Amino acid sequence: MSPPTGAGATPPGRIDVHHHFFAPEYQRAWLDWEDRRRLPHFPTQLAWTPARTIEAMDEAGIATAILSLPSTPGVWFDAGAAQATRLARLCNDYAAGMMRDHKGRFGLFAALPMLDIDASLKEIEYALDVLQADGIGLQTNYGDCWPGDAAFRPVFEELDRRRAVVYFHPLVPTCCGALDYGTFPAVIEVPQDTTRAVVSLLASGSFARYPNIRWIFSHAGGTVPMMAVRIAYFFQFRQDFAAIAPDGVAATLQRLHYDTANAAAAPNMAALLKLVPATQVLFGSDYPYVPPAAQAAALQALGLGAAELQAIDRGTALRLLPRLAL
């Protein structure tokens, strides 16, 4: 199947780096988890199928979508590390099947259990060497343990050794899931947790320690663009500042990559594009929660230049994932 060139797309088509999928067993576990907490189900998640995914991609002019797991609870379903490990493998295998069945249309940011470091290292090897995944998809925290925690160092050391692309998707942390401000927690806590993850990696020196990792953060970096100056101001007083951010906080944040998922609006993109150039930004849709065609149209309506749109739609992704050009 040849990739489409949809209306408004930059030929030969967009690359969507924020695109969720649901293996059948994983879907059942997710819905059961929500039922136990009396949480509402998204109709578009309930209706998800690979065929509908391709229809949505074609409508939005998306040539290739990089598959990754959605938000809370990731591969945690109250059953511990063994279940998380099994679900990560099951989901990665399912996504690899979609890649085989629809040649050229899908890639994969493979899930890791992270609750078990040894199992995570084995899954990195399996996902990157056997499944030929495009990178690794992580959550912004695991049981209120953010990615800069020393427990995760073996995982990031291996990802740095492999020069891997590492994509972060936020979730609602346990600490804040019960806060009541009149709407469900994901509205506020999901973007905030992206910022927590970035600050955790910065404070731990992870960005400096693992220079070969190519980092991608969702939703235009959450609140990072708005808080960058505040973060930089307070971090300058740390005694270890030269070690954790040798080039300064601003330069560190500018080396990261950010997607446009559910953030392709003038205020979000104005803040993001003041922090980084378009060559650090990638198109993301957040399918099936947000219609890809609507995200593509919103991005087109921002009045960006042709070179900026080309970078966001496709160029930045090709620099990180050159195999997609083949």
Side-chain angles (χ1 to χ4, degrees):
M1 178 184 296
S2 60
T5 302
T10 300
R14 296 183 172 91
I15 297 170
D16 182 358
V17 300
H18 189 139
H19 203 100
H20 300 308
F21 72 103
F22 301 86
E25 183 178 343
Y26 179 82
Q27 175 87 294
R28 290 192 295 271
W30 175 295
L31 297 177
D32 288 346
W33 184 89
E34 287 190 329
D35 285 341
R36 291 196 297 274
R37 288 157 179 77
R38 298 182 179 179
L39 296 172
H41 303 320
F42 272 84
T44 50
Q45 177 184 334
L46 293 172
W48 184 90
T49 65
R52 288 194 177 99
T53 295
I54 291 175
E55 289 175 5
M57 290 167 59
D58 289 350
E59 182 182 1
I62 295 169
T64 305
I66 310 299
L67 301 169
S68 60
L69 289 186
S71 187
T72 314
V75 293
W76 300 16
F77 293 99
D78 308 320
Q83 174 74 338
T85 298
R86 190 183 72 81
L87 278 175
R89 174 62 60 89
L90 179 150
C91 290
N92 291 339
D93 281 341
Y94 184 86
M98 290 179 63
M99 293 168 65
R100 289 191 301 270
D101 293 343
H102 306 279
K103 197 73 173 176
R105 300 307 306 272
F106 295 111
L108 171 62
F109 290 145
L112 301 182
M114 293 298 279
L115 297 172
D116 182 326
I117 297 301
D118 288 340
S120 296
L121 294 173
K122 291 177 182 176
E123 196 63 25
I124 290 171
E125 181 179 17
Y126 177 74
L128 297 182
D129 295 344
V130 178
L131 299 184
Q132 298 295 298
D134 295 283
I136 297 297
L138 298 179
Q139 294 173 297
T140 49
N141 82 78
Y142 294 87
D144 285 1
C145 189
W146 280 269
D149 192 282
F152 299 133
R153 282 190 180 182
V155 170
F156 288 112
E157 287 169 356
E158 176 62 8
L159 294 173
D160 185 72
R161 185 186 71 81
R162 289 175 171 267
R163 308 181 71 87
V165 173
V166 177
Y167 158 90
F168 275 93
H169 193 283
L171 76 171
V172 177
T174 305
C175 68
C176 307
L179 296 178
D180 184 3
Y181 22 61
T183 186
F184 55 95
V187 174
I188 301 296
E189 294 304 327
V190 161
Q192 292 288 2
D193 213 56
T194 296
T195 304
R196 293 186 187 104
V198 169
V199 171
S200 172
L201 290 162
L202 177 64
S204 65
S206 298
F207 291 135
R209 188 178 300 115
Y210 310 119
N212 297 315
I213 291 176
R214 279 81 55 74
W215 312 86
I216 303 174
F217 293 91
S218 300
H219 306 298
T223 59
V224 167
M226 282 65 73
M227 295 183 66
V229 170
R230 182 179 178 87
I231 294 167
Y233 177 79
F234 284 101
F235 266 67
Q236 69 179 319
F237 300 114
R238 291 177 58 122
Q239 291 184 346
D240 61 351
F241 181 75
I244 65 172
D247 299 321
V249 170
T252 301
L253 298 179
Q254 288 162 1
R255 285 196 296 272
L256 310 180
H257 300 83
Y258 306 87
D259 78 34
T260 66
N262 206 11
N268 307 69
M269 294 303 296
L272 179 60
L273 292 174
K274 289 294 185 181
L275 177 66
V276 298
T279 50
Q280 297 299 112
V281 182
L282 306 100
F283 179 82
S285 72
D286 209 358
Y287 182 83
Y289 301 106
V290 181
Q295 289 287 281
L299 189 64
Q300 292 284 322
L302 291 177
L304 300 176
E308 291 178 305
L309 284 173
Q310 193 279 334
I312 294 169
D313 277 341
R314 186 171 175 86
T316 307
L318 288 181
R319 192 179 75 247
L320 295 177
L321 307 168
R323 72 100 182 160
L324 298 182
L326 302 177

